[in-house]
């Protein structure tokens, strides 16, 4: 029942080349930076990543992306990550862009054992009809496009069929966790982290504060330990490192 692993390197030691990863975080909030850095230091490559975005400001998944370690991204937001956009347009990176709510539900569905579901999001667009560029050829053409998806009508409204997502591993960050893997997320860091954790066959959580079983009120648990296989306790310095993507101050 004690799922604590001594180091981040040990926690990701069995992640192979070509593995699929669900990674929590939104922008720079709630990103498992320590686990991502451990993967980088191992030299793992050819990864298929499922995450809302692929890092920002040379942080998070941007570390792996810049090193050419990521082969495919399933996500919702390219944003201001110029290297992400460059690799995508140059044909170096395969990208499946999907609606943000659909991505969240695909992760949750996969973790809940639901193989597929219907949603109205994307009906009447290339999301449902197919043709979204997954990979460019580097010369402005499309080398690989998304296929059409099943569309079905329920009570007079059309819905598109979306598949649940399961990945080999999941990397998440929590504000607090116990030795059984029960996790609590702080504020906006409770974004894609619980969903990513559910989707991984092996889920690794880096926690800012490690507590003993029973110290977390059961009603306060955001993610039950059944979804978590490994827990890594961060140092105070690692826990305090929380960069801000866009700082806004009032006059």
């Amino acid at each position: 029942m004690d799922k604590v692993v001594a180091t981040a390197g040990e926690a990701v030691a069995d992640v192979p080349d070509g593995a699929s990863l669900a990674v929590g975080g939104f922008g720079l909030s709630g990103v498992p930076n320590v686990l991502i850095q451990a993967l980088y230091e191992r030299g793992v490559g050819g990864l298929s990543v499922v995450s809302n975005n692929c890092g920002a400001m040379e942080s998070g998944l941007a570390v792996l992306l810049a090193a050419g370690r990521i082969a495919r991204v399933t996500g919702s937001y390219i944003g201001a990550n110029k290297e992400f956009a460059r690799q995508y347009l140059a044909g170096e990176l395969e990208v499946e862009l999907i609606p943000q709510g659909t991505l969240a539900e695909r992760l949750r569905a996969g973790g809940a054992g639901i193989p597929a579901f219907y949603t109205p999001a994307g009906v009447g667009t290339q999301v449902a009809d197919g043709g979204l560029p997954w990979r460019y050829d580097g010369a402005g053409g499309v080398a690989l496009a998304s296929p059409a998806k099943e569309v079905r009508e329920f009570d007079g409204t059309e819905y598109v069929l979306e598949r649940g997502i399961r990945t080999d591993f999941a990397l998440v960050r929590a504000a607090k966790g116990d030795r059984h893997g029960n996790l609590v997320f702080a504020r906006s860091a409770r974004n894609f982290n619980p969903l990513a954790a559910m989707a991984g066959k092996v889920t690794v959580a880096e926690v800012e504060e490690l507590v003993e079983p029973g110290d977390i009120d059961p009603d306060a648990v955001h993610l039950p330990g059944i979804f978590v296989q490994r827990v890594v306790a961060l140092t105070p310095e690692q826990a305090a490192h929380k960069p801000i993507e866009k700082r806004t101050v009032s006059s």
Side-chain angles (χ1 to χ4, degrees):
M1 292 296 291
D2 191 342
K3 301 176 181 179
V4 176
V5 179
T7 67
E10 183 181 344
V12 299
D14 58 345
V15 178
D17 290 339
S20 58
L21 304 172
V23 182
F26 188 107
L28 299 181
S29 176
V31 178
N33 288 307
V34 175
L35 292 171
I36 291 170
Q37 183 65 30
L39 269 185
Y40 170 78
E41 291 172 0
R42 280 199 58 230
V44 179
L47 299 169
S48 293
V49 172
V50 183
S51 184
N52 175 68
N53 55 287
C54 204
M57 294 173 56
E58 301 179 352
S59 180
L61 286 170
V63 173
L64 295 172
L65 183 75
R69 308 280 182 78
I70 298 177
R72 191 179 198 276
V73 175
T74 300
S76 291
Y77 183 62
I78 293 178
N81 191 326
K82 293 182 180 180
E83 178 60 16
F84 188 177
R86 187 200 68 76
Q87 289 189 26
Y88 178 38
L89 296 175
E92 300 171 9
L93 184 68
E94 187 173 310
V95 178
E96 180 183 1
L97 285 174
I98 58 178
Q100 197 166 80
T102 300
L103 174 61
E105 182 61 10
R106 286 182 67 182
L107 288 165
R108 190 203 68 81
I114 299 170
F117 60 91
Y118 287 97
T119 174
V123 171
T125 74
Q126 287 181 305
V127 170
D129 300 339
L132 281 172
W134 277 4
R135 182 182 291 278
Y136 285 98
D137 61 9
V142 177
L144 179 66
S146 65
K149 299 174 182 177
E150 177 186 335
V151 175
R152 184 174 173 183
E153 184 176 305
F154 294 92
D155 300 323
T157 301
E158 290 188 326
Y159 297 81
V160 59
L161 183 68
E162 294 281 2
R163 297 289 301 271
I165 292 175
R166 288 286 279 162
T167 57
D168 300 323
F169 294 85
L171 307 180
V172 300
R173 178 167 178 144
K176 183 183 294 186
D178 66 21
R179 293 181 178 274
H180 291 174
N182 298 302
L183 303 180
V184 177
F185 303 95
R187 300 180 176 85
S188 58
R190 187 181 174 185
N191 39 51
F192 281 88
N193 274 301
L195 308 170
M198 292 176 68
K201 296 175 184 175
V202 176
T203 293
V204 187
E206 60 180 61
V207 300
E208 297 170 14
E209 180 185 0
L210 178 65
V211 300
E212 296 303 318
D215 287 351
I216 302 175
D217 186 325
D219 284 337
V221 172
H222 294 150
L223 184 80
I226 189 68
F227 291 109
V228 179
Q229 283 68 48
R230 300 169 193 166
V231 175
V232 178
L234 300 182
T235 66
E237 292 77 18
Q238 290 170 333
H241 179 64
K242 298 179 181 180
I244 297 175
E245 188 171 1
K246 296 183 180 180
R247 187 181 297 275
T248 302
V249 297
S250 64
S251 58

